[in-house]
Amino acid sequence: MIVVVLSIVLLILAAWIALGSLPAGADAHMPLPYMIALVPLMWVPSLAIAIVALVMREWGLLCLAIAVGLASQMREVSYWSHWSPSRDLLGLLSRTNAGDASNTGGAKTRKKPAHGQRSTEELLADIRAARRETEINASETASDVLAQRTSSSASFTVMTLNCRYGRASAKDIVATVLSRNVTVLALQELTADLVRELDDNGLDMLMSYHQLGEDKETDNGGFNGIWIRVDPKSAERSAVPIPAADVPSVTLQVDPMRDITFASAHPKSPMRGCRDWSAGIRGLGRLAETAKRTDHDIAVILGDLNSSPDHPSFRALLKAGFQDANLSLGEGRRATFPSWIPWPRIVLDHALATKGARFTGVESFPIEGTDHLALVATVALD
């Protein structure tokens, strides 16, 4: 009897996992988006049943449990496609050695306080110092600056963060932009108060150019915004119409024949309407279509896309012409929600780019006051 019950449970789990293979748009029905988001966790009950089967020496049940557990990880493998234990070990050793070297011999270096411990005055002083250094380093002729900015080997550090109804720490955000030398910053769930706090903490000095979406009552948690360090060629309040908050964008000319457009996006969550959720995710694909029509142009989407590669709607967005930073690097799963528990987190926040750009690094980390981790990636031009 126990074997029959556990077999039925495994068949239910297998059917649950199969939901991730529905056609794009078919996942736009409650509660499918949430069920599909949990597919990567189906190995947990499968493992429990496998252990029971092993104890009972029920080999058929054991094989079925293993098969179901592996099926739940089918799309997770791509997050680790380039992972190497030896490379990770070497990286750990190099970081450890670097830390040891900084603490031995010679004069001791003063450790900077954590973001949360720095006063606004200290942060602003650091920003002014960074601006003075930038002005000194950029004292070449205008043509030299342009040549450097439009180099075919240029790379950009980009960052995206869901600000949780405007509750994220403005000081923490600005300090992170400064310490990580972020070129493009995309924020979601903004409020007018948070934008003012960001400027009070020096973001307008670090990033003089920005574009905000319109603040509307129909926004999902707040409006979106995007900031950039250099003067953009153009900016739009909403680069593509989707049934969610505006998708503000800035476009930078990288060479005489090519532009790169950065957009901050936040499709609705399924609880705000499954149809709008799916339509919003798939609708972002029009940015890739626009880039294709203009031949060499590049589009980069940054934001909380409320979906993962397990969702058919998200895979449709990738098929439109985007590559995902996490998937393309294959160096590990950068799950970003919720921030307060290390497991089980799910993948919601993304950095995507079309042909002509590639990702060379990606990292997630906490920012005070929000339930999402920030995602930082490095975009290099091909």
Side-chain angles (χ1 to χ4, degrees):
M1 184 64 180
I2 294 178
V3 173
V4 173
V5 171
L6 293 180
S7 297
I8 292 173
V9 172
L10 286 174
L11 291 176
I12 293 173
L13 292 178
W16 190 330
I17 293 167
L19 294 175
S21 298
L22 289 170
D27 51 348
H29 302 280
M30 279 294 237
L32 294 183
Y34 294 100
M35 293 178 68
I36 293 172
L38 296 175
V39 164
L41 303 178
M42 292 299 103
W43 67 269
V44 177
S46 300
L47 177 61
I49 294 175
I51 293 172
V52 172
L54 183 62
V55 172
M56 297 177 63
R57 297 181 180 273
E58 291 289 342
W59 310 123
L61 182 64
L62 175 62
C63 291
L64 180 59
I66 292 173
V68 171
L70 291 176
S72 72
Q73 300 302 298
M74 181 175 61
R75 293 189 178 90
E76 299 295 293
V77 173
S78 54
Y79 286 117
W80 302 93
S81 59
H82 306 301
W83 179 75
S84 165
S86 60
R87 181 175 62 184
D88 276 16
L89 179 59
L90 287 173
L92 177 62
L93 289 174
S94 64
R95 289 191 295 271
T96 302
N97 290 338
D100 291 344
S102 65
N103 292 324
T104 57
K108 292 184 178 179
T109 57
R110 177 176 168 267
K111 184 179 179 181
K112 288 188 176 182
H115 295 167
Q117 298 173 337
R118 300 166 77 181
S119 67
T120 299
E121 290 73 18
E122 290 174 323
L123 178 57
L124 291 173
D126 286 347
I127 291 172
R128 293 188 188 99
R131 279 180 61 89
R132 284 195 297 270
E133 183 177 349
T134 300
E135 290 166 0
I136 292 171
N137 292 338
S139 58
E140 314 101 305
T141 64
S143 60
D144 290 336
V145 174
L146 181 62
Q148 182 182 16
R149 195 179 98 184
T150 59
S151 168
S152 60
S153 60
S155 64
F156 306 89
T157 300
V158 298
M159 172 177 163
T160 181
L161 176 70
N162 179 312
C163 297
R164 195 187 185 187
Y165 307 109
R167 298 172 187 168
S169 166
K171 184 169 67 174
D172 210 6
I173 293 171
V174 177
T176 300
V177 169
L178 175 63
S179 63
R180 292 176 179 268
N181 196 28
V182 173
T183 306
V184 179
L185 172 68
L187 299 177
Q188 302 86 47
E189 294 197 12
L190 284 165
T191 61
D193 287 341
L194 179 56
V195 172
R196 283 192 292 270
E197 290 173 16
L198 289 166
D199 287 343
D200 289 343
N201 281 275
L203 185 61
D204 58 339
M205 287 194 290
L206 276 176
M207 296 179 148
S208 303
Y209 309 93
H210 69 270
Q211 177 64 55
L212 303 177
E214 183 182 355
D215 187 359
K216 300 174 293 188
E217 290 185 2
T218 55
D219 287 343
N220 42 316
F223 57 92
N224 302 327
I226 191 158
W227 283 256
I228 187 168
R229 282 183 185 255
V230 293
D231 187 4
K233 174 182 177 181
S234 62
E236 290 187 69
R237 189 182 67 189
S238 192
V240 58
I242 63 172
D246 287 341
V247 184
S249 68
V250 291
T251 298
L252 180 66
Q253 184 175 9
V254 293
D255 60 45
M257 300 294 293
R258 184 167 54 165
D259 293 342
I260 181 169
T261 296
F262 299 93
S264 177
H266 187 206
K268 288 185 177 180
S269 62
M271 70 177 64
R272 296 176 185 272
C274 269
R275 290 185 182 276
D276 285 349
W277 166 79
S278 177
I281 296 166
R282 290 180 289 137
L284 293 172
R286 277 174 257 175
L287 290 172
E289 294 169 6
T290 301
K292 288 177 184 176
R293 284 198 301 271
T294 50
D295 195 12
H296 296 295
D297 285 354
I298 302 165
V300 176
I301 296 177
L302 306 167
D304 170 11
L305 303 188
N306 276 316
S307 55
S308 73
D310 290 289
H311 292 100
S313 292
F314 182 81
R315 296 200 301 275
L317 173 58
L318 296 183
K319 288 178 182 177
F322 283 102
Q323 59 173 315
D324 180 273
N326 265 334
L327 297 175
S328 63
L329 287 170
E331 295 178 347
R333 189 171 180 266
R334 301 296 190 274
T336 55
F337 179 85
S339 61
W340 60 81
I341 53 172
W343 188 88
R345 282 186 185 142
I346 58 177
V347 176
L348 290 185
D349 302 86
H350 300 268
L352 311 178
T354 58
K355 184 179 179 181
R358 56 188 168 81
F359 292 100
T360 60
V362 64
E363 183 183 356
S364 59
F365 52 88
I367 292 288
E368 184 181 346
T370 177
D371 52 354
H372 285 247
L373 296 183
L375 191 73
V376 164
T378 304
V379 184
L381 302 184
D382 291 332

